[in-house]
Amino acid sequence: MFNFTFKSTDPLREESTIKDKVQASDQFNGKQFVNIDATQMVTNFWAVLKMYLFDKQKPASPTTPIQVQSMTTDQLIALQKQSISKQDMYFSRLGHSTILILMDGEFWLTDPVFSKRASPFSFAGPKRFHQPPLTIEQLPPIKGVLLSHNHYDHLDQWAIQQLINKVEHFYTPLGVGEDLITWGVKPENVTQLDWWESVTVNNLSITAAPAQHFSGRGLGDSNKTLWASWSVKSDQASFYFTGDSGYFGGFKEIGERLGPFDVSFIETGAYNKLWPDVHMMPEESAQAHLDVKATFMVPIHNGTFDLSVHTWTDPFEKIVELSKQKNINLVTPSMGEITSLQSLKEKPLVENYWWE
């Protein structure tokens, strides 16, 4: 059973340093952060090499260009005014786990990755299938950025540095904010939360929730920073963002404590038998959506990078079939497509199998 004691009712005013918070965290064992349940990953070089040599399925990437719906600053500003009058929530996938969300009249971003590769190198590593629907320069002012953990396909140093003058505030799990500060973000513009800590931003309640994953950007920082999922709720709308996670009992607890949600943005991609505890298979993604008690499911962590051995369309094809079996309201917008929550509630869902 989890320990759900809140460490602070107002982490923004907490006097202790981040180092003190890390040491006091229930997730920190004195040396590194740990998951609630024991997790295993096969990291043996030869096992991984064998998998990529003999188990790789094709097509691993699109054979024709992905159709991306471009966006403009003027379009988004007009949408922002419209959202205030209509009291609606809008969202758009920009790629992988990067989502632009318009909620309570303000724009939010999750795990912004705009670089060409999800890698520490500009010349090697997973390369994007498509360009983002808009550039960072075209983004409107961003109220807040939610970061789930520090892996390269979720925390893009170049993007963070370009966003510094666009973003009012960054919200991260414990320790991740230290990277941002090193990269030039002002400390007063970063809030680092432990699991189950919440902050209130205008009418929004933002909670860092558990996830089952790991962290690290180099050879010597394994699990030195925390990973998290996010709950965002207001009187107008709500959403849940998994970040990266294997399936675990925490999803049911999140649903019971923080749900229900209007929309779940659920990791559905980069799964593999060698790392079943830290990424979800499609049937587990579907169950996670049901566990957190969300009305609509948007599968993310797919369609932008080749990070496993399954075909690039496999996550979409499998979750579509599962959604039909489990009566899940599945929403699969193409990259850059703007989706209205009110429209989802008022009109029958329209199938959009853009990957075909």
Side-chain angles (χ1 to χ4, degrees):
M1 184 61 66
F2 310 144
N3 182 349
F4 289 129
T5 302
F6 281 80
K7 291 294 183 184
S8 169
T9 56
D10 190 353
L12 287 174
R13 294 191 178 95
E14 194 170 78
E15 295 180 358
S16 62
T17 64
I18 293 302
K19 184 177 180 180
D20 292 335
K21 286 190 69 173
V22 167
Q23 293 295 325
S25 172
D26 290 338
Q27 283 60 251
F28 194 72
N29 68 4
K31 295 182 179 180
Q32 62 182 9
F33 286 98
V34 295
N35 287 297
I36 296 168
D37 300 326
T39 56
Q40 292 184 345
M41 284 184 62
V42 177
T43 57
N44 178 276
F45 173 79
W46 297 110
V48 174
L49 179 61
K50 180 182 178 182
M51 177 191 70
Y52 277 102
L53 286 176
F54 299 107
D55 297 338
K56 191 73 174 173
Q57 300 176 26
K58 296 182 179 181
S61 59
T63 55
T64 57
I66 288 179
Q67 295 299 311
V68 175
Q69 298 192 30
S70 61
M71 309 165 75
T72 67
T73 309
D74 290 344
Q75 176 189 16
L76 292 172
I77 295 299
L79 188 67
Q80 186 174 29
K81 295 177 181 177
Q82 177 180 315
S83 74
I84 296 172
S85 62
K86 289 189 173 184
Q87 296 189 330
D88 197 1
M89 168 183 162
Y90 299 86
F91 60 87
S92 177
R93 287 197 66 194
L94 305 186
H96 200 52
S97 297
T98 305
I99 310 160
L100 181 64
I101 300 163
L102 177 54
M103 186 172 174
D104 278 35
E106 303 279 5
F107 283 103
W108 293 77
L109 265 178
T110 65
D111 288 355
V113 174
F114 285 77
S115 290
K116 185 177 180 180
R117 296 182 185 274
S119 167
F121 310 108
S122 61
F123 55 88
K127 186 178 179 182
R128 298 185 74 99
F129 299 159
H130 62 87
Q131 291 297 316
L134 78 174
T135 65
I136 291 177
E137 291 75 16
Q138 292 174 310
L139 284 170
I142 304 298
K143 184 69 174 178
V145 166
L146 302 175
L147 292 166
S148 63
H149 62 299
N150 70 357
H151 285 158
Y152 285 94
D153 60 322
H154 293 262
L155 181 58
D156 177 356
Q157 178 179 349
W158 177 84
I160 295 296
Q161 291 174 324
Q162 299 302 308
L163 283 165
I164 287 175
N165 295 324
K166 284 271 187 181
V167 175
E168 182 176 310
H169 208 85
F170 295 83
Y171 301 86
T172 81
L174 285 179
V176 177
E178 299 305 293
D179 282 331
L180 274 60
I181 294 167
T182 299
W183 299 339
V185 180
K186 294 179 180 178
E188 59 266 30
N189 293 339
V190 180
T191 295
Q192 304 184 54
L193 301 180
D194 200 351
W195 291 349
W196 302 110
E197 284 189 326
S198 299
V199 292
T200 300
V201 181
N202 296 337
N203 295 319
L204 271 64
S205 175
I206 302 171
T207 304
Q212 183 169 283
H213 201 55
F214 64 108
S215 66
R217 294 178 75 80
L219 297 177
D221 66 342
S222 178
N223 295 341
K224 298 300 184 183
T225 64
L226 187 58
W227 45 95
S229 59
W230 292 96
S231 160
V232 179
K233 307 197 78 172
S234 75
D235 293 337
Q236 185 183 106
S238 61
F239 69 86
Y240 174 71
F241 173 70
T242 57
D244 277 0
S245 182
Y247 183 78
F248 72 130
F251 289 122
K252 290 182 180 178
E253 296 288 351
I254 290 166
E256 291 169 3
R257 291 180 59 85
L258 300 173
F261 299 95
D262 291 311
V263 181
S264 71
F265 298 106
I266 301 283
E267 176 211 271
T268 314
Y271 40 81
N272 190 276
K273 62 183 180 181
L274 295 187
W275 48 81
D277 293 335
V278 295
H279 284 291
M280 291 184 282
M281 302 299 284
E283 57 270 23
E284 294 173 320
S285 298
Q287 188 59 51
H289 162 79
L290 296 172
D291 287 351
V292 301
K293 302 179 182 179
T295 302
F296 301 98
M297 175 183 179
V298 180
I300 61 171
H301 206 255
N302 51 47
T304 302
F305 297 111
D306 175 16
L307 300 173
S308 188
V309 296
H310 56 66
T311 68
W312 81 275
T313 60
D314 194 67
F316 298 109
E317 294 162 354
K318 281 190 167 56
I319 201 64
V320 165
E321 290 306 312
L322 286 162
S323 68
K324 293 175 180 178
Q325 295 170 19
K326 297 178 179 292
N327 295 317
I328 291 173
N329 296 317
L330 189 70
V331 184
T332 55
S334 57
M335 301 299 176
E337 180 181 349
I338 297 172
T339 303
S340 156
L341 177 59
Q342 281 190 11
S343 294
L344 291 178
K345 291 179 176 180
E346 295 170 359
K347 301 176 183 178
L349 289 177
V350 177
E351 294 180 344
N352 179 15
Y353 300 162
W354 58 266
W355 55 89
E356 294 180 346

